[in-house]
Amino acid sequence: MSSTGAEGEAAAYLRRPFALTSLPKRATLRATALGVMEARLNGTVVGDEVLAPGWTSYRHRLVVAEHDVTDALVLGENVLAAIVGEGWALGRLGWENKRNHYTTRPALFAELVLEYGDRTEIIGSDATFRAGTGGTRDNSIYDGETFDARLEQAGWDVAGFDDSSWEGVEVVEWPLEALTDSPAEPIRRVEILPPVEILTTPSGKTVVDFGQNLSGRVRFTVTAEAGTVITLRHAEVMTGGEIDVETLRTAKATDRFISAGGTRTWEPRFTFHGFRYVELDGWPGEVDPTTISAVVTHSDMRRTGWLETSDPLLNQLHSNAVWSMRDNFVGVPTDCPQRDERLGWTGDINAFAPTAAFLYDVRGVLRSWLQDLAVEQKATGFVPWVVPDVLSTPSSPTALWSDVAVSLPWALYREYGDRAILENSYESMTSFIRQVEGLLDGDGLWSSGFQYGDWLDPDAPDDNPAGGKTDRHLVASAYLCKTTREMADTARVLGHDQDAAEFAALAERVRAAFRREYVTEKGRVAGETVTGYSLAIAFGILDDEQRAHAGDLLARLVAKAGYRISTGFAGTPLVTDALSSTGHLEEAYLLLMETGCPSFLYPVTMGATTIWERWDSVRPDGTINPSGMTSLNHYALGAVVDWMHRTIGGLSALEPGYTHMRIAPQVGGGLTSASLRHTTVAGDVEVSWQRDGQSMTLIAMVPDGATAEVVLPSHPDGETHEVGGGTHRWTYEIPAAAGGSYDLDSTLKEIADDPAAWREFFGAFSAHFPGVPLDGNAPEAAFMTVSTMLEYVPGASDELRDDLAAALARASEGASA
Ligand code: BGC
């Protein structure tokens, strides 16, 4: 065929007629493509997957799908056909605007295996295929698809079609050993969403709102005159009443349908978009909402985790994490589904993996992805920052990104208890750790080389997301404390005793070096950042006394920031844990439930339906942050949802695979109930608790064969029970919360000691003096009353005094409730 892989080329239509004089007992089609494909047999689409074969490291692993097509065959002439578009193999990938990462020609591999009982015949993808084109014109994952119905050749995929004007094909050489099956579920149409509203914008455009930021495409039915062009522009957000495509960067995300006259239903075949809104141009007449829908398209994984609480904002935050996960598991775990990227960024899935493994059965997609990581690492000697690797330069080892090679298999092992996951990744894990060991300085620290650090710390400069407050080499060495320990544990689980001893010694060496360099004897962590403390606490770097002190210092820092978030990709998954595990549960809840910008719930208050890349991707005035890294659909910062599962829902695995689990909800944040469900490999677990005044009820359902340590939430004596399979229920009285009473004569320290009161107080202060810090733990705070403080605040108004008094009154009421 004459296609050259250039931009904007029409999809290849391929057909091969063959005759059958008897019908086989069984017929199987095995097919894949360089590009994306849709196979057909006698005019019927084979299988229900879309965007096949998905995206893998094609040169090493090209996934072949198998379909039983026995019933599609007929006696006489049959036609095996396929449409092949550019997909990931030919199309542009990455922000560097490069295409043809894998090949310059689209290619089809098909094997129709006909089993007659006494013999097997194979109809293969050889030079007898004929190639033409049809309605599917330019087709790009980033830019969208054009379908010209006038160019679709009737009957091209069934018997009797005259293909004499079509071209011959050439056989493409590709390593056959790359052909493989895959543990991953295929990409499918998973859900259909109707519009929630059809809008006319100030400029007169028609925009369909699907109410949810999603990954997929639009399907519609339209009656239009021949030649009518309907254009669909997709967007995540609207600003000033119009769709705003700023978050797409250069991705055009535009589909076009050109009518051949009459009525037709259409949905693009070889693209997907990340969108909530679609602007329609050229639609004849009014849009009937029943004729248009969004087709949610992603890897068809099984849902395994749910959490619901009494707080609607938290429920929306949870839903946003679930949707961001769905939207970013399109064959590969990606950073985002909408802009000119959609790459398998390692740091993003590393941060989000425990959350992902709770919400869905990710064994298929992530084991496939880890295979790609391992083969690429073996071929190049480094763990690529994106897998499959399409970057133009080699990746250097970095914490949180490259060390996914260790932490992801470990997270999957913890969730599923399957040692094979560790076995399969063992070589990749060990070679990564040994590579980093070779980079350590004389002290045992990872102190050189590029690092992403606490990526997208809200205080990092807009043009330098890696330039956060926390020293990036502190971040690197802290993560290495974690991964060396995971490595030692992996070796131990697999019975590699010598390796286990080697890695345990390395872990201790790095930990000791970290403590010498970054931690004072009492437990203060260098740089005094929320992320620095969170890493040191969560990764077990400190001893008990240091840990307690560090927890107190962290709680103060978090309070001083008024419970606004101050962490990026590295610190965010850990900060709530670091607080709640050092006796600061209330502060963890205050941080979780803060709504001001930046915070976990700020995007929710701005109408977000997915997790944003930046804490302020949309700024409080409704404009898009112009920094360029402002996707509205990045799951990494949604990693806090894992803490919600373990702390609000209260479920964590004590043994890999939940054969022994802990059920210990920790109540706070004014929540009155929560219910959690999780389908584990040991069986279904359910936990629900409800607070009714001073009465608490906990119900725990534990699968047969598993055991649970149950810690009754808010129980006056901290009662704990060991239970086996079955449903268990406890109801008991809990003590009334003790709390203070505050007014303008309270000292700053008294208020700061009560995190909820401090939050009210600081919120009122910040409304007058945004961004001005107030330290309730400074030495003078012990004797300085609010009234005295006001004397020192230049420009303090009566209004400020009144607002602070009102805030303190509210805090006193809250405490007595
Ligand atoms: C991606 C991130 C990624 C980062 C690292 C970004 O463009 O969207 O999520 O981890 O680059 O450089």
Side-chain angles (χ1 to χ4, degrees), residues 516-535:
R516 271 198 309 278
E517 180 75 20
Y518 296 119
V519 186
T520 65
E521 215 179 312
K522 269 188 80 181
R524 194 172 284 268
V525 178
E528 307 250 16
T529 66
V530 171
T531 290
Y533 279 110
S534 300
L535 301 177

Side-chain angles (χ1 to χ4, degrees), residues 335 339 341 345 348 401 452 455 569 613 629 634:
D335 56 337
R339 71 177 177 219
E341 221 163 332
W345 276 102
D348 304 50
W401 273 257
Y452 287 105
W455 181 255
F569 276 31
E613 176 175 25
M629 311 284 302
H634 256 63

Side-chain angles (χ1 to χ4, degrees), residues 13 58 65 90 136 200 248 292 297 369 380 471 488 501 555 559 580 628 641 658 667 749 786:
Y13 282 49
Y58 297 131
L90 287 100
T136 304
T200 303
L248 310 184
I292 187 161
T297 305
W369 187 77
T380 60
D471 181 309
S580 60
V641 159
Y658 292 86
V667 178
K749 173 92 174 82
V786 179

Side-chain angles (χ1 to χ4, degrees), residues 505-568:
L506 176 62
E508 200 32 61
R509 179 173 161 229
V510 179
R511 178 172 178 260
F514 186 98
R515 285 153 54 107
R516 271 198 309 278
E517 180 75 20
Y518 296 119
V519 186
T520 65
E521 215 179 312
K522 269 188 80 181
R524 194 172 284 268
V525 178
E528 307 250 16
T529 66
V530 171
T531 290
Y533 279 110
S534 300
L535 301 177
I537 292 168
F539 294 160
I541 297 174
L542 310 176
D543 64 30
D544 289 350
E545 254 172 61
Q546 288 176 321
R547 183 183 161 81
H549 187 55
D552 293 346
L553 294 172
L554 170 63
R556 282 189 204 173
L557 270 183
V558 169
K560 199 168 156 190
Y563 301 99
R564 302 293 164 93
I565 198 82
S566 57
T567 50

